[in-house]
Amino acid sequence: MELVEYELNTVTYGVNCAPFLALRVLQEVADVDCRGSARVCDALRHQTYVDDICYSADTVDDALSIQVELTAVLNSAGFELRKWASNTVAVVHAVPEEFRVIKSTTFAGDTKVLGLSWHTGGDYFGCEAHLDSAPVFTKRVILSLTARFFDPLGLFAPTLFLAKHIMQRTWQSNCTWDQRLPTEIHSDWSRFVNELPALASVHVPRYFNTTARAPCSLYGVYNASQRGYAAVVFLRINDAPPATSVLLIGSKTKLAPLKPLSIPRLELNAAVLLSRWIPRSCSASS
């Protein structure tokens, strides 16, 4: 029987190399096809998350201009941009209706940007998390439910930290994966699940109330306790009104290890966490 060799010319989602190949192709487009457009190059290199391009502009005209440039560059490379969304109606209406992520001017509840709900009407991020209750909570169930959270910016980090802390307590209790949880842990997790819908009332502004090259400052705060430690970064807009001059960029949290550490040592770990988080916050706020 003669052997036949086939070559796959497309990226197949689901294989381990798919994310790398998808990003590598976009990097190649940025290096070769968009040398005449610095904005398109910046969008592909620094404002792309897997297959989502999240780019902002100071004015509607600038947004429409980058939309045209980005579409032209990617079309020349064989990519057709779809699922357009914006907090400005003019940007959405500039593309055919079938290319829009929604048919109206507001997102549906299940539309996500980096794991968060983006409400275009008010231009804010929200977290409308709902975890299914279960008659019997086990370590396996808690791990499965906790893994549903995806908050890369740490906008809702206190909530996720509490879930991870409860998960850590299940390890300390030495219960098996499918064994019923101790009464105290079971009660705390049930309360956590019941109170989770309250996150829907928390609105985090997407817009930093600034423009390119506006004078601003970054402020970092860190703290620690016996449960863990955290680092939070804020942006202060120097020429903005006081009520809207300070905005949250993001945060990072870590659980304290099971082996007890002193509070000063945990404070030091928090300082290291902040020193690593601030450089990433600079790119997020630019």
Side-chain angles (χ1 to χ4, degrees):
M1 181 177 179
E2 182 181 359
L3 294 178
V4 180
E5 183 177 327
Y6 294 92
E7 181 179 353
L8 185 64
N9 295 321
T10 60
V11 176
T12 303
Y13 285 98
V15 298
N16 291 337
C17 61
F20 166 78
L21 292 176
L23 292 175
R24 181 64 185 86
V25 170
L26 289 180
Q27 291 292 323
E28 184 70 16
V29 173
D31 293 338
V32 177
D33 297 335
C34 64
R35 294 177 179 174
S37 177
R39 295 187 299 180
V40 174
C41 184
D42 176 63
L44 296 179
R45 282 185 168 276
H46 306 295
Q47 312 296 334
T48 300
Y49 185 84
V50 188
D51 58 350
D52 292 327
I53 302 174
C54 305
Y55 200 82
S56 297
D58 291 338
T59 65
V60 175
D61 290 339
D62 287 343
L64 293 172
S65 177
I66 185 61
Q67 183 183 46
V68 172
E69 294 179 19
L70 193 60
T71 301
V73 169
L74 290 180
N75 279 347
S76 66
F79 296 98
E80 190 174 52
L81 290 176
R82 291 177 177 267
K83 296 183 179 180
W84 285 91
S86 174
N87 63 326
T88 302
V89 177
V91 177
V92 178
H93 286 179
V95 297
E97 186 173 356
E98 62 269 20
F99 287 1
R100 305 171 192 171
V101 70
I102 49 172
K103 308 305 179 185
S104 62
T105 58
T106 58
F107 272 114
D110 58 351
T111 301
K112 304 292 183 180
V113 176
L114 301 185
L116 304 175
S117 299
W118 178 27
H119 299 263
T120 56
D123 200 14
Y124 63 84
F125 291 121
C127 181
E128 300 177 2
H130 297 276
L131 299 183
D132 299 330
S133 183
V136 178
F137 287 122
T138 64
K139 182 192 296 187
R140 190 186 306 277
V141 171
I142 290 183
L143 179 60
S144 175
L145 296 179
T146 303
R148 297 184 187 181
F149 286 95
F150 182 64
D151 181 19
L153 296 178
L155 302 179
F156 301 92
T159 300
L160 184 56
F161 180 85
L162 178 57
K164 290 181 177 179
H165 175 66
I166 296 176
M167 183 65 197
Q168 186 184 59
R169 289 167 58 193
T170 66
W171 289 98
Q172 292 175 307
S173 68
N174 294 321
C175 58
T176 62
W177 282 104
D178 298 309
Q179 178 183 349
R180 182 182 177 88
L181 296 175
T183 303
E184 185 178 356
I185 299 178
H186 187 282
S187 176
D188 290 344
W189 181 258
S190 298
R191 188 182 306 111
F192 171 79
V193 172
N194 293 334
E195 295 178 354
L196 200 57
L199 280 180
S201 62
V202 180
H203 299 166
V204 180
R206 180 202 62 84
Y207 177 48
F208 284 156
N209 197 30
T210 185
T211 57
R213 294 178 295 277
C216 58
S217 306
L218 283 177
Y219 292 88
V221 180
Y222 65 88
N223 206 343
S225 70
Q226 292 181 341
R227 288 188 176 186
Y229 49 94
V232 185
V233 177
F234 298 93
L235 179 71
R236 182 179 185 276
I237 313 302
N238 297 339
D239 57 356
T244 58
S245 62
V246 179
L247 295 164
L248 171 68
I249 290 184
S251 65
K252 289 293 182 182
T253 61
K254 293 285 186 180
L255 288 172
L258 294 179
K259 181 180 179 180
L261 294 178
S262 64
I263 295 298
R265 178 59 64 98
L266 291 172
E267 291 274 6
L268 181 60
N269 289 342
V272 173
L273 182 64
L274 178 63
S275 68
R276 295 174 177 173
W277 178 230
I278 282 185
R280 296 182 60 188
S281 300
C282 292
S283 60
S285 60
S286 60

